Amino acid sequence: MPKSESMRRVALVDNPSSGQNSSRREAIVRAAFAALGDAGIEVERFTIHGPGSGAALARQAVSHGFDTVVVCGGDGTVHEVMQGLVGTAVALGVIPLGTANALAANLGLSRIPAKALQALLKAEPVQVPVGRIFFHDPEGARHSRYFTVAAGVGPDALLMARMDPLLKRRLGYVLYLFEALRIWISHPFPLFPVSFESAGGEPRLERASQILAVRVRSFGGVLGRLAPGATLHSRSLSVLTIKTRSRLRYMRFLLSILAGRRDFSRDLELITADSVECNPGNGSRAHIFVEADGEVLGHLPVRLELASETLTLLIPPHAEP
């Protein structure tokens, strides 16, 4: 492989708990390590051992002078690692090895790891805006996280909260479909107040059972372009807003997605905003979950906006993110 002009010192970060088939995964990571070395790049391997260690490893790579961090994993691993890279000049690259690889799909990266690495070696570092979500953990303390793919409040976050890590590794998307069906059958889809703000305008008030602030052009797979107009380069949030408790309306929208359409309407709308605030409904005791990039963070209240900092992302030349 030719030597990359943008990569000289690479921290190769692996998350053994991401994705499936650990023996195959180890072979892939070793092959990537060898390929980077063959390209004349200095490379060191780091392994994530638990929650929070990905961000710590990223900060370590920054402080030790690495110019690039390449993540072997899915959206959850990328989410963890990017917390230590936003606001720095260190570039983030992805070799998709997770269950969900929406960011990699949005960048046009192949699910075949060797091809994804070839694309990364030709990629250029580009600064992109990222979302930021302020939330409350189960103990009530306020925190914030950056996100690149999407952040959601409502049933999608409940779906992530119900995913058993071991079953997720064994069953992959089958488990997503099973849990989604369970939620559709039994969840009451409670409404909560949402405020959308845009520069120069009055806040727009709605009540919704689900919002999803999308930052990517495409999720890949059956979801595809869930929020037309959303891109990594956008300076605003594209917010899919579902303002109904109707199971039938949810199912109709899902079927329209599977058919390649997007049946937006008065109660299912795509709203562009600079920031979004969601609060618990008056008198509601329901804990409405919050997620970012597929990682469950906590519950309402929550605020979503664009961060003042940017993320340096390795984007292949053929990508249209």
Side-chain angles (χ1 to χ4, degrees):
M1 292 184 186
K3 177 169 177 152
S4 168
E5 294 299 320
S6 61
M7 289 191 282
R8 292 177 174 82
R9 292 192 67 206
V10 170
L12 187 67
V13 177
D14 178 38
N15 182 4
S17 65
S18 175
Q20 305 176 58
N21 198 327
S22 58
S23 59
R24 179 175 177 270
R25 178 192 191 87
E26 176 63 22
I28 290 170
V29 175
R30 288 186 179 184
F33 185 95
L36 287 166
D38 291 343
I41 297 169
E42 182 183 343
V43 57
E44 186 173 338
R45 182 174 174 179
F46 297 82
T47 303
I48 293 175
H49 293 293
S53 67
L57 289 176
R59 287 190 285 269
Q60 181 181 340
V62 172
S63 65
H64 288 185
F66 289 89
D67 55 63
T68 306
V69 173
V70 173
V71 173
C72 300
D75 293 326
T77 306
V78 172
H79 174 83
E80 175 72 24
V81 171
M82 70 173 284
Q83 306 307 316
L85 296 180
V86 173
T88 77
V90 177
L92 172 67
V94 185
I95 297 176
L97 289 180
T99 305
N101 300 284
L103 179 62
N106 185 69
L107 296 175
L109 291 169
S110 172
R111 289 296 301 266
I112 301 173
K115 290 185 177 181
L117 182 56
Q118 289 175 1
L120 289 180
L121 288 173
K122 301 172 185 176
E124 293 294 329
V126 179
Q127 290 188 342
V128 298
V130 292
R132 191 171 190 181
I133 180 170
F134 297 85
F135 63 95
H136 290 75
D137 66 19
E139 284 72 44
R142 193 168 188 258
H143 304 274
S144 73
R145 288 279 188 97
Y146 302 106
F147 63 94
T148 57
V149 175
V153 180
D156 79 303
L158 176 61
L159 172 64
M160 303 306 172
R162 287 190 175 182
M163 299 296 287
D164 180 275
L166 294 178
L167 285 176
K168 181 179 173 183
R169 293 193 70 189
R170 288 175 56 191
L171 301 177
Y173 272 113
V174 173
L175 184 60
Y176 280 97
L177 295 173
F178 175 74
E179 291 294 348
L181 180 60
R182 285 184 60 201
I183 290 171
W184 182 76
I185 292 172
S186 62
H187 188 57
F189 298 98
L191 298 172
F192 51 88
V194 188
S195 174
F196 301 88
E197 297 184 11
S198 298
E202 291 293 322
R204 175 178 172 179
L205 303 179
E206 298 283 358
R207 289 178 64 80
S209 58
Q210 166 74 58
I211 69 159
L212 187 67
V214 181
R215 294 291 305 154
V216 293
R217 176 172 171 266
S218 173
F219 283 83
V222 296
L223 291 179
R225 297 189 183 189
L226 187 60
T231 77
L232 282 170
H233 298 294
S234 175
R235 295 301 310 179
S236 60
L237 299 173
S238 296
V239 188
L240 178 64
T241 308
I242 302 180
K243 298 176 283 183
T244 180
R245 299 180 64 182
S246 168
R247 288 183 174 83
L248 178 60
R249 190 67 188 90
Y250 267 88
M251 180 58 71
R252 285 176 58 191
F253 183 64
L254 176 60
L255 292 176
S256 76
I257 292 173
L258 296 176
R261 305 190 312 273
R262 302 293 178 269
D263 289 345
F264 295 110
S265 63
R266 182 183 60 81
D267 60 0
L268 205 157
E269 191 176 355
L270 189 61
I271 299 174
T272 301
D274 294 329
S275 65
V276 183
E277 287 196 15
C278 306
N279 290 286
N282 290 335
S284 173
R285 296 185 179 181
H287 276 268
I288 297 175
F289 286 98
V290 174
E291 62 86 14
D293 294 339
E295 297 297 297
V296 180
L297 303 178
H299 53 77
L300 296 182
V302 68
R303 177 179 173 85
L304 301 100
E305 61 185 34
L306 283 185
S308 57
E309 307 92 340
T310 59
L311 173 69
T312 303
L313 190 62
L314 282 180
I315 300 182
H318 64 275
E320 298 179 1

